[in-house]
Amino acid sequence: MPEALTIDGRKQRCKFRAWHRGTREADYTIGGFFDRYHEQWGAEELAWFEALLEEDDVHILAWAFGTEPVPPRFQGELIEKMQKLDYVEIPR
């Protein structure tokens, strides 16, 4: 039950889902974005990211790389930050 989780619990679940997408490209893009920005997020930003995680990787990556238009529900500051992400720390 998502409504029963705390913000920290939701962030932990998002971190796992962001870093376990199925391809390295998606893991690094989505997981790296999460790692860079999640500490600044409140409930609204977290809800946006949770909705984003429900989308197919091919679409998320296309929006992040600017090869496909971003749907109105995901437009805004957060996707713009993802589009500008130029470095992610790769866990070893």
Side-chain angles (χ1 to χ4, degrees):
M1 295 202 295
E3 60 276 353
L5 291 176
T6 65
I7 292 251
D8 287 337
R10 289 170 59 198
K11 285 182 179 180
Q12 288 174 353
R13 183 178 59 194
C14 283
K15 180 175 183 158
F16 181 85
R17 291 188 64 206
W19 277 105
H20 294 86
R21 301 300 296 182
T23 66
R24 285 186 182 183
E25 294 84 358
D27 290 351
Y28 294 156
T29 302
I30 300 165
F33 172 76
F34 175 84
D35 285 354
R36 170 88 53 94
Y37 294 108
H38 78 277
E39 291 179 7
Q40 306 164 13
W41 294 348
E44 185 176 330
E45 294 86 0
L46 186 57
W48 177 91
F49 191 72
E50 288 169 325
L52 185 76
L53 291 174
E54 295 300 320
E55 299 294 323
D56 290 334
D57 292 349
V58 67
H59 297 299
I60 298 171
L61 294 178
W63 303 331
F65 300 148
T67 59
E68 194 175 291
V70 179
R73 69 186 179 279
F74 293 116
Q75 291 177 359
E77 182 181 352
L78 291 175
I79 198 70
E80 290 169 7
K81 286 182 177 181
M82 184 180 280
Q83 291 168 334
K84 293 177 184 173
L85 192 64
D86 62 350
Y87 175 81
V88 296
E89 188 74 32
I90 297 175
R92 303 209 185 247

